[in-house]
Amino acid sequence: MKVNIRKISEETGFSMSTVSNALNRKKGVNKETAEKILKVAEELGYRVDEEITKIRFVIFRRNGLIIDDSTFHPSVIEGVEHQAKLMGYETVFCYVDIHDPDYQEQLYDILSDMQSAVVLLGTEMLEEDYEPYAGAKNRIILLDGRCDKYAFDSVLVNDMDAAAGAVEYLVEKGHTRIGYLRGEFRIQAFRSREAGYRQVMNQHGLPAKPEYTATVGTKIETAYQKMKEYLDHAKELPTAFFADTDVIAIGSMQAMKEYGYDIPGDISVIGFDNVAYGMVSDPPLSTVHVYKQELGARAVRELLSADRTDSKAKVKIQVCADFIERGSVKEITG
């Protein structure tokens, strides 16, 4: 028998007008009432009209240490907006800060809007941040984020393999003492890049000495300052560093140059992300190129794919990156 609003009203004890408002996510129904109605409707097999009319691009902010000054994310956003427009959808941008007093209310509005499909930028998200998003009523895809506990459709960079390729390049250039410029805010992407670094070091039997790891800030100014502190106490330096990001690499390079080190004459450096100003740094920075616009576009295409409508299987797509050789790496011979 077809489930209608009257049946849901009888089961919940709420008026038909309240049930109708809750099912259509209209204002005026408190959260607890709406959740009870939606739960009963789902149990009875009632299907709300789920026609998607817009894309919500949700930018999650934990502390802003990665996304606030990033030139990476505007390109990702551009990819999302362009692809959505091509497919006939408007894009609504939402910034959510986990420390905002009304954070939970913001999430409820976003994740219960059945006319929106959500692209969630998870760059700054930690494992414990994902739980409320796992219960989203609408369609959602995770972009540039990783979660082990909950399954999400997701699009991300192949960070581990890309980092391994960059470190392998240093080995091919004759470097055996390779250090790591480690971002102090340990987002999941950085953990994957560190795993790629350590994988190559282990494969070649090279020591990833603790004293070769400099933990620095994730903004240019904090990377610069923390690198100076590292150099104040360093007794031995590697011949090359792999950095979690270009921002970290450039800030650290400035500190090294101030301390009298030539790059790449004394120390080689490789970054990650291929931000625009890496091309004009001194020297131009060798880096890992991430297809930023394609990341955003691919997330939208996957989110709106007809194949995803009724599928319960979650899909994780990794977008490959390319190595860009510039002038910040010296070849060691002999």
Side-chain angles (χ1 to χ4, degrees), residues 71-273:
T71 61
F72 173 93
H73 297 96
S75 295
V76 175
I77 291 170
E78 186 178 329
V80 168
E81 191 168 30
H82 179 68
Q83 185 64 44
K85 186 176 181 180
L86 286 177
M87 299 178 74
Y89 295 87
E90 68 168 322
T91 307
V92 177
F93 295 96
C94 308
Y95 283 82
V96 294
D97 190 317
I98 196 170
H99 302 295
D100 282 348
D102 61 346
Y103 174 66
Q104 294 299 329
E105 287 73 18
Q106 292 178 50
L107 286 193
Y108 178 77
D109 287 342
I110 292 168
L111 301 178
S112 63
D113 181 3
M114 303 302 288
Q115 292 185 317
S116 295
V118 175
V119 177
L120 172 62
L121 184 67
T123 305
E124 288 196 354
M125 296 181 76
L126 303 180
E127 189 72 20
E128 60 266 28
D129 299 327
Y130 285 102
E131 182 176 0
Y133 297 90
K137 299 296 183 183
N138 48 5
R139 207 181 303 181
I140 185 170
I141 193 164
L142 178 60
L143 176 59
D144 194 36
R146 294 157 180 78
C147 180
D148 294 329
K149 185 174 182 181
Y150 302 100
F152 289 92
D153 288 320
S154 56
V155 176
L156 60 157
V157 182
N158 64 337
D159 288 292
M160 182 174 174
D161 291 344
V167 178
E168 187 69 41
Y169 172 83
L170 290 172
V171 175
E172 292 171 359
K173 290 295 183 181
H175 293 272
T176 58
R177 292 188 290 126
I178 303 172
Y180 175 42
L181 295 175
R182 178 182 185 270
E184 62 183 351
F185 175 37
R186 301 308 291 163
I187 61 173
Q188 295 291 67
F190 292 176
R191 297 179 189 277
S192 297
R193 293 171 196 179
E194 181 177 3
Y197 160 75
R198 295 190 179 279
Q199 173 184 285
V200 174
M201 298 297 281
N202 288 336
Q203 286 176 345
H204 290 278
L206 301 175
K209 293 183 178 180
E211 57 265 36
Y212 289 171
T213 294
T215 299
V216 300
T218 54
K219 299 186 177 184
I220 284 184
E221 62 271 20
T222 55
Y224 164 75
Q225 190 59 48
K226 289 282 189 178
M227 190 62 185
K228 289 202 300 182
E229 294 174 13
Y230 168 80
L231 293 171
D232 282 337
H233 300 94
K235 296 178 180 178
E236 178 188 16
L237 292 179
T239 61
F241 279 110
F242 166 72
D244 273 332
T245 68
D246 287 355
V247 169
I248 287 172
I250 292 169
S252 299
M253 284 166 57
Q254 183 60 37
M256 286 185 271
K257 287 188 289 184
E258 285 191 13
Y259 275 64
Y261 295 101
D262 179 73
I263 300 168
D266 298 318
I267 303 174
S268 297
V269 180
I270 289 178
F272 200 110
D273 286 339

Side-chain angles (χ1 to χ4, degrees), residues 65-75 217-223 245-254 257 271-287 289 292 324 326-328:
L65 291 176
I66 307 297
I67 65 172
D68 278 4
D69 298 330
S70 169
T71 61
F72 173 93
H73 297 96
S75 295
T218 54
K219 299 186 177 184
I220 284 184
E221 62 271 20
T222 55
T245 68
D246 287 355
V247 169
I248 287 172
I250 292 169
S252 299
M253 284 166 57
Q254 183 60 37
K257 287 188 289 184
F272 200 110
D273 286 339
N274 192 24
V275 299
Y277 49 84
M279 292 187 290
V280 294
S281 63
D282 181 23
L285 182 64
S286 295
T287 186
H289 175 70
K292 298 174 273 292
I324 303 294
R326 295 196 182 112
S328 62

Side-chain angles (χ1 to χ4, degrees), residues 31-89:
K31 181 180 178 181
E32 292 75 17
T33 298
E35 288 179 346
K36 181 176 180 181
I37 291 171
L38 291 169
K39 184 175 184 295
V40 171
E42 184 177 354
E43 290 172 351
L44 292 174
Y46 180 87
R47 291 183 62 85
V48 184
D49 180 11
E50 297 182 5
E51 181 182 359
I52 295 171
T53 60
K54 61 181 177 291
I55 304 296
R56 278 193 191 243
F57 190 99
V58 178
I59 302 166
F60 178 94
R61 186 181 189 276
R62 171 165 276 278
N63 51 31
L65 291 176
I66 307 297
I67 65 172
D68 278 4
D69 298 330
S70 169
T71 61
F72 173 93
H73 297 96
S75 295
V76 175
I77 291 170
E78 186 178 329
V80 168
E81 191 168 30
H82 179 68
Q83 185 64 44
K85 186 176 181 180
L86 286 177
M87 299 178 74
Y89 295 87

